[in-house]
């Protein structure tokens, strides 16, 4: 199952509280718990791992590429990662383990995130730090199989596989009575990007969120939409 937890932004991170909050999800990944932090204590990533591919320490997360400029925490499974790995090897990519996680790192370098996400088949939620281009990317699979929650406040992003870790770090518990709760009680369907908490959101299924860490500008991209796969008239009839 695994878990991801991380904080990126312009504010100093309380590292003991960060670890405490991250470890609340240890039940999701009992095989290994890892933390990476930047020298200025403004960026931190963590993962609790349930090992599936490459059970050795080479599969531990947070994971870096050969240049040590890309770092990722990943929850999920990429079903076609062996096919993608063969394509990347032909392009000159180098691998040091047999995980699908490393395929994301190398695929990002050779194809860019938008094209990579369109090639990937699986269920996933991950955060990727690109230190060379000073940006951070969150992404979630097209079906929303893997959870990914986030909070953005005061030029700081906190993301997590479970809401309780965000609450633990922020100590904010205000409920959003007029949003997710009212919709859910009326329709029995939870809104795609909302939760019961006022300050916590879900990343949409098939969505990529990119943060420019220089100025903390945020861009969003829906790399996959249902209407791209079915008859447009049928899609809009159902949407209405």
């Amino acid at each position: 199952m695994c878990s991801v937890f991380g904080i990126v932004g312009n504010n100093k991170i309380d590292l003991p509280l960060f670890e405490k909050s991250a470890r609340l999800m240890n039940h999701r990944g009992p095989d290994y718990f890892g933390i990476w932090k930047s020298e200025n204590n403004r960026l931190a990533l963590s993962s609790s791992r349930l090992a599936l591919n490459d059970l050795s320490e080479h599969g531990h997360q947070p994971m870096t590429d050969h240049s040590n400029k890309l770092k990722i925490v990943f929850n999920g499974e990429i079903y076609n990662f062996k096919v993608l790995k063969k394509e990347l090897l032909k392009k000159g990519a180098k691998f040091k383990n047999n995980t699908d996680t490393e395929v994301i790192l190398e695929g990002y370098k050779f194809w860019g995130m938008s094209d990579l996400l369109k090639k990937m088949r699986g269920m996933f939620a991950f955060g990727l730090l690109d230190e060379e281009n000073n940006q951070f990317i969150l992404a979630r699979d097209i079906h929303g199989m893997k959870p990914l929650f986030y909070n953005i406040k005061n030029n700081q992003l906190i993301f997590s596989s479970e809401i309780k870790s965000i609450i633990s770090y922020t100590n904010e518990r205000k409920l959003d009575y007029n949003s997710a709760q009212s919709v859910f009680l009326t329709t029995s369907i939870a809104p795609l990007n909302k939760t019961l908490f006022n300050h916590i959101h879900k990343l949409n299924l098939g969505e990529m969120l990119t943060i420019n860490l220089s100025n903390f500008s945020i861009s969003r991209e829906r790399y996959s939409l249902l209407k791209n796969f079915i008859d447009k008239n049928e899609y809009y009839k159902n949407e209405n």
Side-chain angles (χ1 to χ4, degrees), residues 22-229:
R23 284 189 177 277
L24 291 175
M25 297 183 289
N26 276 357
H27 60 282
R28 297 178 66 95
D31 296 324
Y32 181 77
F33 176 79
I35 287 181
W36 170 88
K37 66 179 182 65
S38 64
E39 292 182 359
N40 63 10
N41 282 352
R42 288 183 168 85
L43 310 171
L45 304 173
S46 73
S47 168
S48 293
R49 183 189 182 203
L50 176 65
L52 295 176
N53 298 309
D54 194 335
L55 307 185
S56 73
E57 62 181 17
H58 299 295
H60 290 344
Q61 300 181 36
M63 188 179 291
T64 65
D65 73 325
H66 286 278
S67 70
N68 204 35
K69 293 181 178 178
L70 295 179
K71 296 170 178 65
I72 189 172
V73 284
F74 166 75
N75 172 28
E77 186 176 359
I78 308 303
Y79 306 138
N80 64 334
F81 83 95
K82 292 182 179 179
V83 174
L84 297 179
K85 187 172 184 176
K86 287 181 180 179
E87 291 183 35
L88 289 165
L89 286 169
K90 291 179 181 179
K91 291 179 175 290
K94 296 180 180 180
F95 293 87
K96 54 187 177 183
N97 61 56
N98 295 311
T99 67
D100 45 1
T101 308
E102 191 176 27
V103 169
I104 300 175
L105 288 173
E106 293 300 311
Y108 170 68
K109 287 193 287 187
F110 283 87
W111 294 317
M113 188 56 77
S114 293
D115 288 343
L116 170 62
L117 289 169
K118 292 171 184 175
K119 290 174 176 285
M120 287 164 49
R121 300 290 179 266
M123 52 181 180
F124 56 83
F126 64 82
L128 184 146
L129 174 64
D130 182 344
E131 292 187 282
E132 185 172 14
N133 293 305
N134 206 25
Q135 66 178 11
F136 186 81
I137 300 170
L138 284 181
R140 191 175 178 211
D141 66 79
I142 63 174
H143 301 294
M145 294 289 288
K146 290 298 181 180
L148 192 56
F149 303 95
Y150 69 93
N151 162 257
I152 298 177
K153 186 176 181 180
N154 298 327
N155 286 351
Q156 187 176 67
L157 165 75
I158 306 175
F159 67 93
S160 178
S161 295
E162 294 188 12
I163 290 177
K164 64 184 178 184
S165 293
I166 298 177
I167 292 175
S168 170
Y169 190 87
T170 63
N171 199 30
E172 293 184 38
R173 303 169 184 272
K174 186 176 180 181
L175 295 176
D176 186 358
Y177 293 107
N178 296 319
S179 184
Q181 183 171 257
S182 61
V183 174
F184 180 76
L185 292 175
T186 303
T187 66
S188 298
I189 300 173
L192 289 177
N193 63 338
K194 295 185 180 295
T195 71
L196 290 177
F197 294 90
N198 190 46
H199 64 293
I200 300 175
H201 305 277
K202 287 185 292 187
L203 194 69
N204 269 328
L205 48 88
E207 184 177 48
M208 173 178 72
L209 183 151
T210 304
I211 296 180
N212 182 327
L213 296 175
S214 299
N215 55 18
F216 214 78
S217 60
I218 299 171
S219 63
R220 302 171 188 272
E221 177 185 336
R222 291 292 298 274
Y223 66 88
S224 180
L225 293 168
L226 178 61
K227 64 182 178 182
N228 295 337
F229 299 94

